[in-house]
């Protein structure tokens, strides 16, 4: 089974389907139809839904698939079995069923579908051993092949021979575990008879087949030794040729030569014996002896030289804070932060938070530097590991330089972004995760320094993007993408394309982010970087789903979820995935699915600290938007507000937005006002649009409580703001609530004329249209035009009702309640249906009583509700 590549383009999919693969052709046509017409994917075998072709293995074609019954991704291998001759075709299924070993791919099920045998097995996310070995050290390659050898030894113990071992038939999973796959040519250990020898002649892959296998002689477990050692030698020689290093060490070459001996009798007695010889690395044995001797000598010298050594080490390793301070340039951090405080009142309130965050970061960075330096100077860790830890810390220092530049150039209109920039700094403690550092990809030595420098540039760009400076980040990111292409180093290229796409998402060119993000997750899947793959796919889905629309933006979700569940994938990537999927479902007005996705995102978001935590603050806010229960919704938004305040401060726009949404979602008018009025005042520090929207809601609430003067005062406050034209609703409602009903009707009518309906109008545009129609109906009623008022109010009522069916929100219910109450008044004046009036009055009264409306109005509506058509 080959490594997983993400779904290709529709054209590539069609090109990959061959006439000998009719199922593949059907899947390709189906995927094209899904892409063009949004149709569901329906081709499958048994209960398994085929998603896309992964490649061809011995005797069959392999597909990524989905098991709807157990809700998991799987791999399905289809073997063409003409007529009723299916006995031999079951060989792989039966062979795998007899094996249970960590290094052998797991088989789940098998069966027949028409003239195909299907074998269902685990979907292994990773790379072929051949692809994985590129750029790896000799020790890493031998260690991985030893795992594959354990699988072959287990097969031999079960009286099975693989017969087709090669580096393309072993997968290195993202968990680091090697699995041997494709037992399509497996056979029993017992020597076959003449007929079976003839049938098996030439079965295998040229170049890896033992001489007796080519000649059609008896097949024994020794043929797997031959293929194994041939593949191992191939991987080691490729490394030697790339690095220009010496040939394979003599001891290792002797093991390989014996495993590849022409005569089976001259090979090892068993695969287990071969693996035992492979584990006897003289360099390791020699190091163990040296370490043992060194410990004895160290014990003698410790007391004599300990004090002097510790003092020198402390002096050498205690300079971390000074090195970090250099990132701020000649003026230093305190001077830069003092300038922030002088920019605006909000800057003054932000400075203590920035000071605390940056001081804490410097303390943690210096402590990590001290620990890494001491481990190197004392010889506790290898030079390679020490270099990796220092490179990790240097990337953090580069990111701090970007923060320093952002702080120095801050202006009043973007000063809030500084808090986001500091929270985008890489976590210093990540440089203490030794296992992760050792498992990280290793660039080939000729380009390693260049790759490290380019990755530092990406860290600086990430900080700029987090701080809302995507346009400034784009030139440097585009240059890094070009440099990565020249280096032909795909791990770096996939990261650079992800950052490039992220930068484009935050501009007016949102749809332009789709190509680089698509290429990013394609490359990341191929190279086994599943955190990058999941993040890139999530950002692409959000970009496509919110700009171009359509469920096709979620194509491939099952495979991405499988990658997200892998332990190597970061919680941030998982949280971002489910948040963005929820946003797409919300845009598609699939509220229940959106809520499920946001709940999963919230669960993952709780595990995230450091970089990404600030971006994920919107997860709980989004969840609060789709929860139906008012008490739970209020608690979620209250917790989101508190979390944001702890991270970014009480007056940060993200915190204020959470508080605004909590106020908008509160049912009682008095509760909503208590939340919104201080929020509106704070929002004025951050620009016009958010504050205008906030004061308009306050005006609406004040008028509901019969505080006409308070409503007018709130609207006038928005007109005093500079920097953006007020909403047309502001002037229209000012006319209405100042007793100028005719002028109000004209203003509402003009606003409605300026927003012609689109073919696929999103719900937020429909909400704005319904709000204008409500205002128009109220103004027409007040100016003595009941018939025209009736039409406007009915249109508003219908539109708000459609929105309320899919979005349970107090601000929608407020408008619905007002539309119903005002329509009752209009219908009474035109002698409308008593039954209709009673129904509308009952609904309006129930809402106003729940919200704490005017008692006189509630009493009158309840009176009308008690009347029937016959009264």
């Amino acid at each position: 089974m080959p490594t997983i590549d993400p779904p290709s383009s529709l054209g590539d999919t069609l090109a990959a389907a061959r006439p000998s693969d009719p199922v593949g052709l059907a899947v390709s046509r189906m995927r094209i139809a899904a892409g063009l017409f949004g149709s569901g994917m329906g081709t499958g075998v048994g209960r398994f839904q085929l998603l896309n072709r992964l490649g061809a293995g011995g005797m069959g074609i392999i597909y990524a698939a989905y098991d709807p019954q157990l809700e998991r991704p799987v791999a399905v291998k289809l073997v063409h079995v003409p007529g009723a001759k299916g006995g031999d075709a079951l060989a792989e299924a039966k062979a795998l069923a007899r094996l249970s070993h960590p290094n052998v791919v797991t088989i789940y099920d098998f069966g027949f579908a028409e003239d195909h045998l299907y074998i269902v097995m685990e979907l292994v996310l990773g790379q072929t051993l051949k692809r994985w070995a590129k750029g790896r050290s000799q020790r890493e390659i031998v260690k991985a092949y030893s795992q594959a050898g354990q699988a072959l030894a287990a097969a031999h113990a079960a009286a099975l021979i693989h017969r087709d071992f090669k580096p393309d038939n072993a997968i290195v999973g993202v968990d680091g575990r090697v699995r041997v796959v494709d037992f399509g040519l497996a056979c029993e250990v017992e020597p076959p008879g003449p007929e079976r020898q003839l049938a098996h002649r030439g079965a295998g892959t040229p170049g890896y087949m033992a001489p007796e296998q080519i000649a059609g002689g008896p097949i024994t477990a020794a043929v797997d030794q031959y293929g194994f050692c041939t593949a191992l030698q191939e991987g080691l020689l490729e490394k030697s040729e790339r690095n220009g290093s010496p040939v394979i060490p003599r001891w290792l070459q002797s093991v390989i030569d014996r495993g590849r001996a022409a005569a089976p009798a001259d090979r090892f007695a068993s695969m287990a014996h071969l693996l035992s010889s492979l584990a006897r690395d003289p360099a390791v044995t020699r190091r163990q002896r040296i370490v043992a001797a060194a410990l004895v000598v160290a014990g003698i010298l410790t007391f004599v030289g300990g004090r002097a050594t510790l003092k020198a080490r402390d002096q050498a390793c205690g300079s971390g804070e000074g090195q970090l301070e250099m990132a701020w340039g000649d003026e230093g951090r305190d001077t830069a932060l003092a300038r922030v405080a002088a920019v605006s009142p909000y800057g003054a309130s932000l400075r203590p938070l920035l000071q605390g965050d940056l001081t804490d970061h410097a303390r943690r960075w210096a402590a990590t530097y001290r620990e890494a330096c001491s481990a190197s100077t004392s010889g506790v860790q290898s030079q390679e590991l020490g270099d990796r830890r220092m490179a990790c810390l240097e990337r953090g220092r580069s990111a701090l330089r970007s923060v320093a530049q952002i702080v120095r150039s801050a202006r009043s209109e973007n000063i809030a972004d500084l808090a986001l920039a500091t929270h985008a700094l890489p976590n210093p403690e990540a440089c203490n995760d030794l296992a992760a550092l050792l498992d990280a990809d290793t660039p080939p030595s000729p380009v390693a320094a260049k790759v490290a420098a380019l990755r530092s540039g990406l860290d600086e760009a990430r900080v700029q993007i987090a701080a809302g400076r995507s346009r400034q980040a784009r030139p440097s990111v585009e240059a890094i993408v070009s440099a990565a292409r020249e280096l032909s180093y795909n791990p770096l290229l996939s990261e650079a394309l992800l950052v490039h796409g992220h930068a484009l998402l935050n501009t007016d060119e949102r749809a332009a982010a789709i190509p680089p993000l698509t290429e990013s997750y394609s490359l990341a899947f191929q190279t086994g970087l599943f955190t990058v793959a999941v993040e890139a796919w999530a950002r692409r889905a959000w970009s496509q789903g919110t700009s171009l629309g359509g469920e096709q933006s979620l194509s491939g979700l099952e495979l991405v979820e499988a990658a997200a569940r892998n332990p190597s994938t970061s919680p941030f990537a998982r949280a971002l995935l489910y948040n963005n999927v929820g946003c797409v479902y919300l845009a598609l007005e699939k509220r229940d699915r959106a809520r499920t996705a946001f709940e999963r995102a919230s669960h993952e978001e709780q595990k995230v600290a450091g970089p990404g935590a600030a971006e994920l603050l919107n997860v709980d806010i989004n969840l609060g938007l789709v929860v139906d229960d008012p008490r739970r919704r209020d608690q979620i938004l209250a917790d989101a507000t508190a979390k944001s305040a702890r991270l970014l401060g009480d007056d940060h726009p993200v915190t204020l937005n959470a508080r605004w949404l909590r106020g908008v979602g509160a049912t009682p008018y008095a509760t909503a006002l208590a939340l919104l009025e201080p929020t509106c005042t704070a929002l004025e520090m951050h620009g016009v649009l958010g504050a205008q929207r906030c004061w308009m809601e306050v005006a609406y609430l004040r008028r509901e409580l019969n505080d006409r003067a308070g409503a007018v005062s709130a609207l006038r406050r928005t007109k005093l703001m500079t920097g953006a034209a007020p909403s047309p609703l502001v002037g229209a409602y000012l006319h209405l609530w100042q007793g100028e009903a005719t002028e109000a009707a004209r203003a509402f009518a003009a606003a409605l004329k300026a927003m012609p309906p689109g073919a696929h109008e999103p719900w937020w545009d429909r909400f704005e249209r319904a709000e204008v129609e409500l205002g128009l109906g109220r103004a027409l009623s007040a100016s003595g035009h009941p018939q025209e008022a009736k039409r406007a109010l009915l249109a508003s009522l219908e539109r708000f009702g459609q929105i309320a069916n899919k979005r349970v929100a107090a601000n929608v219910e407020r408008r619905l309640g007002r539309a119903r109450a005002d329509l009752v008044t209009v219908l009474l004046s035109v002698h409308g249906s008593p039954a209709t009036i009673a129904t509308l009055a009952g609904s309006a009264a129930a809402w106003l009583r729940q919200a704490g409306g005017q008692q006189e109005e509630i009493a009158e509506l309840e009176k009308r509700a008690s009347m029937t058509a016959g009264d």
Side-chain angles (χ1 to χ4, degrees), residues 80-241:
H80 184 59
V81 184
K85 296 180 179 180
D88 288 342
L90 284 171
E92 179 178 6
K94 291 181 178 179
L96 285 173
R98 289 163 54 183
L99 287 176
S100 178
H101 190 272
N103 299 117
V104 177
V105 67
T106 303
I107 185 168
Y108 297 140
D109 196 2
F110 61 86
F112 284 95
E114 297 181 356
D115 58 350
H116 282 82
L117 166 73
Y118 63 86
I119 303 170
V120 184
M121 60 194 85
E122 68 173 310
L123 185 63
V124 182
L125 299 174
Q127 306 174 71
T128 64
L129 186 52
K130 182 173 185 177
R131 180 184 293 173
W132 177 90
K134 293 180 179 179
R136 303 285 174 173
S137 68
Q138 172 192 299
R139 187 167 301 149
E140 287 176 312
I141 293 172
V142 171
K143 184 177 179 181
Y145 270 89
S146 295
Q147 289 191 56
Q150 294 291 345
L152 294 175
H156 298 166
L160 291 169
I161 304 168
H162 191 286
R163 286 203 308 152
D164 193 26
F165 182 83
K166 56 187 176 182
D168 285 328
N169 277 343
I171 303 296
V172 183
V174 293
D175 57 358
R177 180 154 51 97
V178 178
R179 291 137 169 115
V180 173
V181 299
D182 210 346
F183 277 72
L185 299 180
C187 68
E188 304 293 333
V189 168
E190 290 79 17
E195 292 183 2
R196 295 199 68 188
Q197 287 186 27
L198 183 62
H200 290 158
R201 184 187 299 272
T205 300
Y208 301 95
M209 295 166 62
E212 69 271 22
Q213 193 175 2
I214 297 172
I219 301 298
T220 67
V223 301
D224 284 345
Q225 288 188 39
Y226 188 95
F228 175 87
C229 289
T230 299
L232 175 57
Q233 176 170 275
E234 178 183 280
L236 292 171
L237 285 176
E238 282 185 2
K239 173 179 174 52
S240 298
E241 291 168 2

Side-chain angles (χ1 to χ4, degrees), residues 458 461-462 464-465 469-482 496 499-510 512-513:
L458 289 179
R462 287 187 179 99
Q464 289 181 303
I465 294 168
R469 286 155 173 76
S470 293
R471 292 194 181 278
Q472 294 90 323
R474 280 179 58 185
S476 62
V477 174
E478 288 166 359
I480 293 173
V481 170
S482 297
V499 178
H500 185 211
H502 190 188
L504 290 168
L505 284 181
N506 298 331
T507 68
D508 295 334
E509 304 172 68
R510 184 186 305 174

Side-chain angles (χ1 to χ4, degrees), residues 340-366:
V340 169
V343 168
S344 67
Y346 175 65
S349 69
L350 182 62
R351 178 183 176 177
L353 182 70
L354 295 177
Q355 184 88 39
D357 288 343
L358 290 168
T359 298
D360 178 65
H361 175 267
R363 177 188 58 77
R364 293 185 294 117
W365 192 94

